[in-house]
Amino acid sequence: MSKIKPSKGAPYARIMGVGGYRPTRVVPNEVILETIDSSDEWIRSRSGIATRHWASEEETVAAMSVEASGKAIADAGITPEQIGAVIVSTVSHFKQTPAIATEIAHLVGAGKPAAFDISAGCAGFGYGLTLAKGMIVEGSAEYVLVIGVERLSDLTDKEDRATAFLFGDGAGAVVVGPSQVPAIGPTVWGSEGDKSETIKQTVAWDEFHAERPEKFPAITQEGQAVFRWAVFEMAKVAQQALDAAGISPEDLDVFIPHQANMRIIDSMVKTLKLPENVTVARDVETTGNTSAASIPLAMERLLATGKAKSGDTALVIGFGAGLVYAATVVTLP
């Protein structure tokens, strides 16, 4: 018989607070058109994007995360010292080690929490949310700060007609804490590694280090292949998440998909047959694709504008490089 004492966690977990940060510089399509042969009409029709935010030198991954985290902590009504773990999802922190989560934990005044980064691309927020839920129920932390943050302008090839208009910068954060009722549903997640080449970095860091005559590494993708996968496969994953939570589309109040592309969002709404009264996040129009930050940023904007409210039932789904995905049903803070 094991002599290890059982963990004493909460029965359930919930999102308690949310915060976001968008860089001050707003970049319209006209700026993108300075380096690619395209048009504002083409960009809008293909992606739904009109503007995006690009970070200044001072708006680092850590600085944006601290701003978003401070809002989330205040919204949750706790103090930074109560945070037991910090999880950061990002692909644009350029140091292999140490994790940026440790710096952020220090800057927000969280004391000595567990702190680590994860790399799950645009599905990273869902992965982090699931890890946080497990920590709280298991008892290793009472409150967990989950951050999605990107400076994708650093990884954008401004001359690539297929991707130059897609990406933006920003940070979104949530505080996950204990709950007496279910408020974060089972996560449907996974990966399809046979499609890993459809979204990738052009040059590996070690190859770049070898001083090859290459441009600085950037993100590239096979747009049509990714579009088809997102539209046809991710709608199935979203439905599985609804089924796992015992929720029907008619029970939903809000749908917050990864803000990759307006056409993908609209296609998923149609495939899932969501009722017209379900509020759909379409933050991509003015924020662009911010990868792991897109879901918490969209969530924060819906709550701030009153388009969604505390207690609403929301389906969230992220998907991207890997190819990886994560979907779950949550109660909004």
Side-chain angles (χ1 to χ4, degrees):
M1 180 178 291
S2 173
K3 297 179 181 179
I4 299 174
K5 202 165 60 172
S7 301
K8 293 183 179 180
Y12 305 104
R14 68 179 298 118
I15 299 174
M16 299 181 60
V18 59
Y21 179 81
R22 293 172 175 81
T24 55
R25 183 188 177 193
V26 177
V27 179
N29 288 338
E30 286 74 18
V31 172
I32 306 299
L33 297 174
E34 294 174 2
T35 51
I36 62 171
D37 180 17
S38 187
S39 68
D40 177 66
E41 180 183 4
W42 188 89
I43 293 174
R44 289 174 185 259
S45 66
R46 291 291 177 136
S47 69
I49 299 172
T51 61
R52 72 285 294 146
H53 295 257
W54 283 354
S56 66
E57 187 175 341
E58 291 76 25
E59 291 168 316
T60 63
V61 166
M64 293 190 293
S65 297
V66 169
E67 291 291 331
S69 298
K71 295 175 184 177
I73 293 167
D75 193 42
I78 67 168
T79 64
E81 293 81 5
Q82 291 176 274
I83 295 170
V86 177
I87 303 171
V88 177
S89 178
T90 184
V91 298
S92 45
H93 169 54
F94 293 153
K95 290 182 180 178
Q96 204 73 32
T97 190
I100 193 66
T102 59
E103 179 182 345
I104 294 167
H106 171 69
L107 292 173
V108 299
K112 299 180 180 180
F116 58 95
D117 298 351
I118 59 174
S119 178
C122 306
F125 175 74
Y127 275 51
L129 191 64
T130 303
L131 293 172
K133 173 186 173 183
M135 289 179 178
I136 290 160
V137 173
E138 186 270 337
S140 57
E142 185 176 12
Y143 300 99
V144 180
L145 179 63
V146 179
I147 302 164
V149 56
E150 301 293 1
R151 272 181 55 119
L152 293 180
S153 57
D154 292 336
L155 285 168
T156 299
D157 182 348
K158 307 300 194 299
E159 298 177 352
D160 179 11
R161 189 173 185 271
T163 60
F165 58 90
L166 286 175
F167 302 117
D169 303 336
V174 299
V175 171
V176 181
S179 175
Q180 294 303 308
V181 297
I184 300 176
T187 297
V188 177
W189 57 357
S191 65
E192 297 184 26
D194 60 315
K195 302 179 181 68
S196 61
E197 291 295 299
T198 55
I199 305 175
K200 62 181 181 179
Q201 185 171 302
T202 52
V203 182
W205 293 119
D206 57 345
E207 293 174 344
F208 187 74
H209 179 67
E211 297 182 357
R212 288 173 50 175
E214 302 271 2
K215 287 183 178 180
F216 190 79
I219 296 173
T220 183
Q221 69 176 24
E222 298 174 16
Q224 287 301 316
V226 173
F227 181 87
R228 288 193 297 270
W229 175 78
V231 169
F232 296 111
E233 298 301 323
M234 291 305 96
K236 298 176 187 177
V237 172
Q239 185 61 57
Q240 291 171 23
L242 290 173
D243 295 341
I247 296 290
S248 71
E250 290 73 24
D251 296 321
L252 278 180
D253 300 305
V254 184
F255 178 44
I256 311 177
H258 165 49
Q259 302 294 294
N261 181 302
M262 195 75 80
R263 292 169 64 206
I264 292 175
I265 294 170
D266 291 341
S267 295
M268 291 183 71
V269 169
K270 183 177 180 180
T271 302
L272 288 167
K273 298 179 181 179
L274 296 184
E276 290 187 3
N277 64 297
V278 174
T279 298
V280 180
R282 290 187 169 89
D283 195 44
V284 65
E285 180 179 5
T286 56
T287 306
N289 178 346
T290 57
S291 188
S294 77
I295 291 175
L297 276 174
M299 182 185 295
E300 186 260 354
R301 176 162 279 174
L302 288 176
L303 289 166
T305 58
K307 294 180 179 178
K309 62 183 185 300
S310 174
D312 278 354
T313 300
L315 169 63
V316 300
I317 178 170
F319 44 87
L323 293 169
V324 295
Y325 53 87
T328 188
V329 176
V330 304
T331 301
L332 295 182

